[in-house]
Every structure is written in structure tokens, then in C-alpha cells.
């Protein structure tokens, strides 16, 4: 069995990374979404919740048993050590689940595995794991406009999120391919993804 082509997909908030992932999935790629896995781990009954409650206290757990994301986000912005402690709980569990999903996708003979990882550039493990890094890029003003319209956050809140993520320059320096998703409509973005499809062993026709 020929091994799948492994792509690391990343981009800043509001870059359009999720849309690119969906387009790659339509062409036959298996998408392994690290952020979605992280959310599952911190949902009610999630595997990370007992350790989070023990380390940070019950007031960081909602009445439903999920992580209180707003409270944790405020703590992480104020205390970098808390952020590292949270990552120490969640990241190993994310790694286990991404590996499990990758094995399952290989058994189903997917030609390409796309690891959708917001913190790919910050992680040496991910850069060593994948054969190709695809960065979805856009201007900071575009990020702010998209996220404020989509999530209803204030400009200052979005700027704080952007500042906490890897810099645009650092992402671009780590990239093997870049999609500049600024001023593109969905058709234009799809054309950019289609141009990369043969390199990723993907079909130009939507997967059935």
C-alpha cells in the first residue's frame, strides 16, 4: 500500500483555513482537525476534563462539565505558565487522537492526510511529521474584518488573538506552499486549492 501524502495545514484566525480544508476534503483528502479534537477533549465528558479540574479548580468547569473557555482564555492571556500547563494536559491527548485518526485514514486508503493544526508552526513535532506545510495567508486587516463579522468579537479582542498566535512572517517562512486568501471569492479560493491538488495526490474532481 502506497503511503498517503501528509500535509500540515495552518493559518491565522480568519485566514480561511477551514474553507481550504473543506475544499481539500471534497477532492478526497482525509482531514484530521487538531482544533476539533481539542474541543472534544474539553467538552462535557471529555478526556482532558478531570485533569483540568484537578489542576485549575472546579470554577474552570461549566455546569455542563465542559471547559469554561472564556475564563481559561482570560487566565492564559494573563499568565503564560497557565497556558503551558493547559497545553501540557491537552497536547498529548490531541497527539494520541490524531495518530489514531491517521491510522484509520490509512486503512481506508486515503491518498492524502491533511493535518489541520492552528499551532503547527510553533510545534517542531508537527513540522517534522508532515511532508508539506500549506499556509493560508491574508492581511491582518482582513483577519480582523472576517472575525468581527463572523464571531461578533471586538477589534481589540481579535487583535489580542492574532498577537497570541504565531506571526504571519513566521508562518510564511515555514511554508512549502502559500494560498494568499485576500480578495478571493470562493471560486477563486477553490482554483488555488485545485492548483495544488496533483501535488497532494488528489483528484481534481470532487470526491464521491
Amino acid at each position: 500500500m502506497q503511503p498517503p501524502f501528509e500535509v500540515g495545514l495552518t493559518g491565522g484566525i480568519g485566514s480561511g483555513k477551514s474553507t481550504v480544508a473543506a475544499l481539500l476534503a471534497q477532492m478526497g483528502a482525509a482531514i484530521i482537525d487538531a482544533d476539533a479534537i481539542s474541543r472534544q477533549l474539553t467538552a462535557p465528558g471529555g478526556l482532558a476534563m478531570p485533569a483540568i479540574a484537578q489542576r485549575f479548580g472546579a470554577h474552570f468547569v461549566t455546569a455542563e462539565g465542559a471547559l469554561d473557555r472564556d475564563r481559561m482564555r482570560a487566565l492564559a492571556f494573563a499568565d503564560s505558565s497557565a497556558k503551558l500547563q493547559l497545553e501540557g494536559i491537552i497536547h498529548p491527548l490531541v497527539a494520541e487522537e490524531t495518530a489514531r485518526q491517521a491510522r484509520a485514514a490509512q486503512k481506508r486508503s486515503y491518498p492524502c492526510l491533511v493535518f489541520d493544526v492552528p499551532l503547527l508552526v510553533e510545534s517542531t513535532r508537527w513540522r517534522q511529521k508532515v511532508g508539506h506545510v500549506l499556509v493560508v495567508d491574508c492581511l491582518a486587516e482582513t483577519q480582523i474584518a472576517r472575525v468581527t463579522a463572523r464571531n461578533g468579537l471586538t477589534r481589540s479582542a481579535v487583535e489580542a488573538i492574532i498577537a497570541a498566535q504565531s506571526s504571519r512572517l513566521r508562518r510564511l517562512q515555514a511554508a512549502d506552499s502559500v494560498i494568499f486568501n485576500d480578495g478571493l471569492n470562493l471560486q477563486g479560493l477553490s482554483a488555488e486549492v485545485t492548483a495544488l491538488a496533483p501535488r497532494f495526490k488528489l483528484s481534481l474532481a470532487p470526491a464521491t
Side-chain angles (χ1 to χ4, degrees):
M1 182 185 298
Q2 190 175 16
F5 192 84
E6 295 189 330
V7 178
L9 172 65
T10 195
I13 187 171
S15 64
K17 177 173 61 66
S18 296
T19 304
V20 169
L23 291 167
L24 289 168
Q26 290 175 14
M27 294 178 184
I31 309 299
I32 300 169
D33 187 337
D35 202 34
I37 292 170
S38 177
R39 289 194 297 271
Q40 292 167 3
L41 292 168
T42 54
L47 292 178
M49 291 311 302
I52 289 172
Q54 182 178 17
R55 172 61 191 85
F56 295 100
H59 54 294
F60 280 91
V61 181
T62 67
E64 296 75 24
L67 174 66
D68 187 329
R69 293 184 174 277
D70 291 338
R71 187 185 291 269
M72 182 59 74
R73 187 180 298 113
L75 177 63
F77 276 133
D79 182 355
S80 59
S81 67
K83 180 174 181 288
L84 291 173
Q85 289 165 13
L86 180 65
E87 290 173 349
I89 294 170
I90 294 177
H91 286 185
L93 295 172
V94 171
E96 288 178 14
E97 179 59 17
T98 55
R100 188 196 68 76
Q101 291 187 19
R103 290 192 299 268
Q106 284 184 279
K107 288 180 180 178
R108 295 178 63 186
S109 299
Y110 278 92
C112 177
L113 306 185
V114 176
F115 297 90
D116 183 344
V117 185
L119 300 179
L120 185 145
V121 172
E122 292 89 334
S123 168
T124 55
R125 181 182 77 85
W126 276 111
R127 186 60 187 92
Q128 293 167 356
K129 176 178 174 56
V130 298
H132 190 102
V133 172
L134 171 59
V135 171
V136 185
D137 180 48
C138 67
L139 299 175
E141 281 299 320
T142 302
Q143 290 180 270
I144 293 167
R146 286 173 179 164
V147 178
T148 53
R150 180 185 70 196
N151 295 8
L153 297 177
T154 64
R155 180 185 181 93
S156 60
V158 180
E159 288 175 337
I161 294 170
I162 292 172
Q165 294 183 332
S166 183
S167 72
R168 183 183 176 202
L169 177 60
R170 188 178 176 189
R171 281 194 298 269
L172 292 174
Q173 288 174 333
D176 296 303
S177 295
V178 176
I179 293 177
F180 184 56
N181 184 26
D182 212 305
L184 293 178
N185 58 19
L186 183 58
Q187 183 178 5
L189 183 59
S190 180
E192 293 286 328
V193 176
T194 298
L196 291 170
R199 190 171 184 181
F200 295 170
K201 300 183 180 178
L202 295 172
S203 169
L204 297 181
T208 57

